[in-house]
Amino acid sequence: AGQVPTAIDLRAMLLVLAFLHFACALVVQGLAVERRSGVHHVTNQRPTSWYGFACEVVAAMGKRPDMVRPIASAELRPTRPAPRPANSVLDNTVLRMAGIPLLRDFGEPLRETVTALS
């Protein structure tokens, strides 16, 4: 038994994710212009889990984050096609070493996007 998300809620979440990806695209464009090769993890600052991210979205909506229930990857239906690593936080070391400005804390653009959707 689970909760079925509404289309409007899914649309809002997709817009939040699209906004975060757009910010990353600007950094990636800079990497391409400078012809930097290799693997570059481009992520907003402050690591979080999908649960933590969902709590941030709910809080930005002005609702109580405790309405979000954490689950283990094993509880996902359908199950994931590959096992999840215990810690899959991406690191921006290559960007820092290259002196490329890092993206801001993910909560800031997330709150801005939720506000814009409200």
Side-chain angles (χ1 to χ4, degrees), residues 46-94:
R46 188 164 50 102
T48 191
S49 62
W50 283 112
Y51 166 72
F53 185 74
C55 287
E56 292 270 348
V57 171
V58 170
M61 294 169 57
K63 300 186 183 221
R64 294 179 42 188
D66 62 0
M67 69 188 288
V68 179
R69 184 179 68 88
I71 64 169
S73 294
E75 296 177 73
L76 291 172
R77 297 293 177 259
T79 58
R80 294 286 195 163
R84 304 295 303 154
N87 181 358
S88 58
V89 174
L90 299 177
D91 185 68
N92 295 315
T93 301
V94 174

